[in-house]
Amino acid sequence: GEYDSNAFATKNNADSDFGAILSPAVTANSDWNRHALNFSAGATGAAFANYSQNDYLDAYAAADGRLDIRRDDIVSGTLRFDRLHDSRDNPDSPGSGEDERPEGNLTRYYRSLADTQYRHNFNQIYTVIGAGVQRLNYVDNGQSSTESRRDRTEYGARARVGYKISPRFGTFVQGNYSYRDYDEDEVLANGQDLDRTNSGYRVSLGT
């Protein structure tokens, strides 16, 4: 269960609510000596006592696998599909932080993800390269007809070089590149269109 003292994340006139939450899930995992294949699916549903517009039903289905080409060459991948929602305190959620509670249901969206990577081991040194794509589709929630402006496709690529100091400890350097492609331009107050498609990279060092 859940108790929320400010169910709509408003600045003033907070409304409290109680909710019941249920989260069933099922998994199936291979037990092969080589290679691996796993499946999982689940859902999380919430029903609130006073404000049914905060009810939600999230769900997911996923599969991941590993292909052991040779001892030092491994390919892995993931496929996943989610039905999700934005919580009321999400800054992008309509009405979040306002003085009065918003009308309309929670913002719901769907996420599809595909990712793959290849790893090669050179004794104590190893390398990893990977890439993935993620699709986000938002559903207009009845209060606002502009949630679909957040629809986008996100692409990513990564490369890592690591050094294994011991079986349980190592260090690595990794580079990531990301590219976000929005379906629609943002319309500014002056009537001009803002192209929100963007890209960037990140370099990290860790253990």
Side-chain angles (χ1 to χ4, degrees):
E2 177 180 286
Y3 170 75
D4 194 335
S5 64
N6 190 357
F8 293 92
T10 55
K11 291 182 180 179
N12 302 304
N13 304 317
D15 296 296
S16 60
D17 205 357
F18 290 92
I21 300 176
L22 186 64
S23 298
V26 61
T27 61
N29 302 319
S30 65
D31 59 356
W32 308 325
N33 292 329
R34 296 184 67 240
H35 316 305
L37 189 60
N38 308 301
F39 298 95
S40 61
T44 298
F48 289 88
N50 299 320
Y51 302 105
S52 61
Q53 58 266 53
N54 284 347
D55 295 352
Y56 62 85
L57 177 60
D58 295 343
Y60 71 91
D64 65 82
R66 187 189 74 248
L67 179 63
D68 301 323
I69 301 173
R70 294 186 299 179
R71 179 178 178 180
D72 295 323
D73 295 281
I74 302 169
V75 176
S76 58
T78 300
L79 293 173
R80 185 180 175 103
F81 179 78
D82 294 89
R83 183 184 191 270
L84 301 167
H85 74 280
D86 279 343
S87 61
R88 291 294 185 185
D89 57 2
N90 188 311
D92 290 326
S93 182
S96 177
E98 300 294 334
D99 291 331
E100 301 295 333
R101 74 167 183 257
E103 300 296 331
N105 299 320
L106 296 171
T107 298
R108 293 171 173 81
Y109 64 99
Y110 296 88
R111 179 178 64 188
S112 303
L113 169 70
D115 187 90
T116 187
Q117 72 173 29
Y118 165 72
R119 173 170 174 151
H120 181 75
N121 299 316
F122 301 91
N123 294 322
Q124 290 179 282
I125 297 174
Y126 66 91
T127 59
V128 178
I129 56 173
V133 59
Q134 177 175 259
R135 176 65 188 175
L136 298 167
N137 288 97
Y138 287 80
V139 180
D140 293 337
N141 64 6
Q143 179 202 27
S144 171
S145 61
T146 61
E147 290 306 307
S148 58
R149 67 183 176 81
R150 299 165 64 186
D151 292 354
R152 62 187 183 271
T153 303
E154 300 179 352
Y155 305 90
R158 59 192 180 277
R160 172 183 291 198
V161 177
Y163 181 79
K164 294 182 289 184
I165 299 173
S166 70
R168 295 188 177 183
F169 183 77
T171 185
F172 69 88
V173 60
Q174 177 167 316
N176 292 72
Y177 174 79
S178 61
Y179 180 85
R180 289 187 175 188
D181 184 13
Y182 284 85
D183 291 2
E184 301 178 6
D185 294 340
E186 183 78 16
V187 179
L188 302 178
N190 60 9
Q192 293 183 340
D193 290 340
L194 174 65
D195 184 1
R196 295 176 295 159
T197 295
N198 61 84
S199 62
Y201 66 89
R202 181 178 71 252
V203 178
S204 55
L205 178 67
T207 57

